[in-house]
Amino acid sequence: MAEVVRARVDAWCWAVRLFPTRSAAGAACRAGHVRVNGERAKPATVVVPGDEVHVRGGERERIVIVERLVVKRVGAAVAVACYLDRSPVPPPKEHVAVVAQRDRGAGRPTKRDRRLIERLRGH
């Protein structure tokens, strides 16, 4: 009888480098940022080849299809072979909002500065 290989979703996401740490992967699962086949996934949810995993975090959403199961962290080249990436293309840099930065040591914004910042943000 052939043994069916299974992996926890938090361990698999960490092993294929979707998260920097296993605890971050587990926390994302508990917060509802990971879905397996459209259902919210707890950290112990089992994934098998063919499952679709949605990971929402950082600046974009990742949609991957499980190709191969791994439970130990692998190198980047091997990790890419473990899933099929169906993620939407990230927006170009021109469309990303620019974050205002103040000079170091400039202190807190004045009332006038704050009003200008709010006007830029559309408040």
Side-chain angles (χ1 to χ4, degrees), residues 7-69:
R8 291 170 53 115
V9 71
D10 63 339
W12 185 82
C13 286
W14 166 74
V16 297
R17 299 177 173 266
L18 295 177
F19 289 99
T21 63
R22 178 137 179 218
S23 60
C29 290
R30 284 188 294 279
H33 300 302
V34 178
R35 294 183 173 271
V36 175
N37 297 326
E39 300 287 327
R40 281 183 65 170
K42 293 181 178 179
T45 300
V46 175
V47 292
V48 294
D51 283 349
E52 185 177 67
V53 179
H54 290 252
V55 176
R56 187 169 41 99
E59 65 279 349
R60 62 181 231 170
E61 180 179 12
R62 301 284 306 267
I63 302 170
V64 297
I65 297 176
V66 179
E67 292 285 316
R68 202 169 84 194
L69 295 178

Side-chain angles (χ1 to χ4, degrees), residues 75-98:
V78 178
V80 173
C82 294
Y83 61 84
L84 183 61
D85 197 354
R86 298 288 173 115
S87 304
V89 179
K93 296 285 185 186
E94 299 86 42
H95 296 288
V96 178
V98 178

